[in-house]
Amino acid sequence: MSDDFSGVDWQTARYDDKEFTPGDPYEVARLGKRIADTAALIQDQATKLHNLVDGNGWDSDAGREFTKKTAETVGLLTTSHQRYAAAAGALGSSVGPEPASDEVRENWATALNHAQTLVRTALGKAKSADAAGSHCQKQIDHHPGHDGHPDKQKLHKQKESADSDLEGAKTDLRHALSYRDTQAGYAKSAIHDAVDHDGLKDPKHHWWDSVEDWIAKIGHWAGVAAAILGVLALVLSWVPVLGEVLAALALIASVVALVCDTVSALDGKGTWLDVAIDAIGVLSFGAGRLLGTAAKEASVAARGSAAVKDVQLARDIGLNPAAARGLGEALNGVKPGQIGKALAEGPAELLPRMRSVVKESLNAKAYVNDIRIAAGKLPGEESLVTEGAPKLAQIAGSSFKSMAGYGKGLFIGSQTLPLAAGWSNLAPVSDGESWLTGPDGLGRVKEIPGLGAGGIPFYNWRWSTPGDDG
């Protein structure tokens, strides 16, 4: 609902409508009373258990061990009492009198009751003002006199007064709702603080609990590293050796993130959406390598195709075959005698098969060979081209030239889209973490059942991640 309360029917609006102050303060108080009674019972049992061993007759190994265990239990009971007591205090065990000031912090039962009183009063004013304004407007509409008629001017003043009263009622209503939200925030914070800091939340009873936290952190920072290295590899892909090394390191970081996020998803703390995004990220390296290789091969083949055209033109003007071939090679930057090989090694198709993408994504030898080729240790497609080869834009048109251009565009898309998805999916793993390493752009998406699923069916499966209020 907007601040101007457009669409509200003031004649039928109720204080406990869902957009105003729903709920029963006395039911809240009854719940608070039950929780307070539970807190008192826990404290009573803790006291009795403490008194049981607080005396003579326990000076033995068995007695001391029993006392130790009892002390631990008493500590847990005391902490549980504090949690229940905090919740009872936040909710309230009874509906207190109307507060002297709206600035005073109240328990939720008392605050809700007061908020409903404020809303009832504001709605009463709004109903009267709305009725008066409507009545005046009807009289104005049906008045036979001209606009300057005294009676009509009087009606206009009464209508303005009613409209002013309605605006005042809206202001009171905004104050009441602000009071409701503020007091609800106090109660929520009190309960959350008790739950989050009393030591009972997610207790560590098993060594695996610590391990899974470390796995989640390793997966997170591996994802951060993969994003940074992936961007650098894309930006610096034209730098020999460095571009290939960065791509290999980014792939390693992506695989680590995939493994860690898979463990977290199986444990129920991560989501299968995280795993899917990681898997796409890993596969993007294989797709990028295949698309990049195809683009390079098409570029070399385009030079060969342009050289063939130039050879034919040279022959048409009377040059002998050897001279024509030499001219075509020189004009297009193809090494002597390599025109046929350049054409033969041109790609038959541009889009890679999924089987090939998966294979290339996990082919460590291929990435090592890329680095060796860039360092000049192994021959590559560029070995067919002279150092002074013209740019692709300067080569005569051919299907290979178009294929090289499309391949370059697909290569960039195959890297940028998974990188963007992987980075936006990074969620912070510690307080105060920079937004750059934990934007959590898909956090809300994971609250949708199915998209935020995690765990193992029939064991620890869940359909979505809880939201901020979960």
Side-chain angles (χ1 to χ4, degrees):
M1 178 182 292
S2 60
D3 289 341
D4 61 356
F5 301 104
S6 57
V8 174
D9 183 355
W10 299 111
Q11 301 304 313
T12 60
R14 287 178 49 84
Y15 71 93
D16 55 355
D17 287 342
K18 64 179 182 178
E19 61 266 35
F20 296 132
T21 49
D24 185 342
Y26 291 94
E27 283 298 326
V28 173
R30 275 190 281 272
L31 175 60
K33 179 64 167 59
R34 288 199 296 272
I35 294 176
D37 290 343
T38 302
L41 179 62
I42 292 173
Q43 184 61 34
D44 180 59
Q45 296 304 314
T47 301
K48 289 180 179 179
L49 190 58
H50 175 72
N51 292 336
L52 177 65
V53 296
D54 187 18
N56 298 324
W58 297 95
D59 189 14
S60 65
D61 291 341
R64 282 188 290 272
E65 183 63 23
F66 183 77
T67 301
K68 178 182 176 182
K69 294 296 183 182
T70 300
E72 294 175 357
T73 303
V74 170
L76 287 173
L77 287 173
T78 301
T79 304
S80 299
H81 163 263
Q82 293 169 353
R83 174 180 288 195
Y84 277 88
L91 295 175
S93 300
S94 63
V95 178
E98 293 292 315
S101 170
D102 290 350
E103 305 302 321
V104 178
R105 183 170 181 168
E106 299 286 349
N107 62 62
W108 179 234
T110 301
L112 177 59
N113 183 64
H114 180 55
Q116 291 182 339
T117 299
L118 294 175
V119 171
R120 273 196 297 263
T121 302
L123 288 178
K125 291 180 180 179
K127 182 177 182 179
S128 298
D130 178 67
S134 298
H135 179 69
C136 290
Q137 187 61 54
K138 287 180 181 178
Q139 289 187 306
I140 292 171
D141 293 341
H142 293 88
H143 196 284
H146 55 80
D147 290 342
H149 192 281
D151 290 342
K152 203 166 188 179
Q153 289 184 341
K154 182 179 179 180
L155 288 171
H156 275 295
K157 290 182 179 180
Q158 292 175 347
K159 176 66 166 57
E160 290 175 359
S161 177
D163 290 343
S164 177
D165 290 341
L166 180 58
E167 289 302 318
K170 290 180 180 179
T171 299
D172 293 343
L173 189 55
R174 293 188 193 98
H175 168 73
L177 298 183
S178 175
Y179 173 81
R180 173 205 65 185
D181 293 341
T182 300
Q183 295 292 332
Y186 288 150
K188 176 182 175 181
S189 296
I191 295 173
H192 276 203
D193 287 345
V195 171
D196 290 340
H197 301 105
D198 62 6
L200 289 179
K201 185 178 181 180
D202 296 330
K204 306 298 181 185
H205 294 308
H206 195 275
W207 64 270
W208 177 249
D209 294 316
S210 298
V211 172
E212 65 187 10
D213 287 345
W214 276 106
I215 290 175
K217 290 180 179 179
I218 292 172
H220 170 73
W221 290 110
V224 172
I228 295 173
L229 291 168
V231 170
L232 292 176
L234 185 60
V235 173
L236 300 174
S237 59
W238 59 274
V239 180
V241 182
L242 179 59
E244 287 77 13
V245 170
L246 288 171
L249 292 175
L251 174 62
I252 293 172
S254 297
V255 172
V256 172
L258 172 60
V259 172
C260 291
D261 286 346
T262 300
V263 174
S264 294
L266 289 170
D267 193 59
K269 290 191 174 182
T271 72
W272 291 111
L273 179 59
D274 297 328
V275 175
I277 291 175
D278 289 344
I280 292 173
V282 171
L283 292 176
S284 71
F285 288 97
R289 185 178 183 280
L290 290 172
L291 287 168
T293 299
K296 291 178 182 178
E297 291 173 346
S299 179
V300 174
R303 292 190 177 93
S305 178
V308 169
K309 293 180 180 179
D310 290 338
V311 169
Q312 185 60 46
L313 288 173
R315 292 282 293 143
D316 290 342
I317 63 175
L319 292 182
N320 62 57
R325 186 174 61 252
L327 179 61
E329 292 169 344
L331 289 175
N332 294 280
V334 181
K335 287 187 176 181
Q338 299 295 317
I339 293 178
K341 186 176 181 182
L343 287 170
E345 293 190 0
E349 57 184 15
L350 187 60
L351 293 178
R353 301 178 185 275
M354 179 55 66
R355 182 178 179 181
S356 299
V357 169
V358 175
K359 181 180 178 181
E360 287 297 316
S361 298
L362 303 177
N363 186 355
K365 184 178 179 180
Y367 291 90
V368 173
N369 286 339
D370 285 343
I371 297 173
R372 296 180 67 189
I373 290 172
K377 303 296 184 181
L378 292 176
E381 292 83 4
E382 64 277 8
S383 64
L384 304 178
V385 181
T386 64
E387 293 182 0
K391 294 182 179 179
L392 188 62
Q394 299 170 333
I395 300 172
S398 70
S399 60
F400 286 121
K401 180 180 177 181
S402 300
M403 187 177 289
Y406 294 146
K408 184 177 180 180
L410 289 172
F411 166 75
I412 294 174
S414 73
Q415 304 305 292
T416 55
L417 295 179
L419 274 174
W423 172 76
S424 64
N425 187 48
L426 292 172
V429 293
S430 59
D431 295 335
E433 186 176 333
S434 170
W435 176 81
L436 290 174
T437 61
D440 197 19
L442 300 181
R444 290 295 182 186
V445 174
K446 294 174 186 176
E447 296 175 23
I448 301 174
L451 293 179
I456 303 172
F458 308 110
Y459 175 61
N460 59 347
W461 181 263
R462 55 173 174 71
W463 281 103
S464 64
T465 59
D468 294 337
D469 297 328

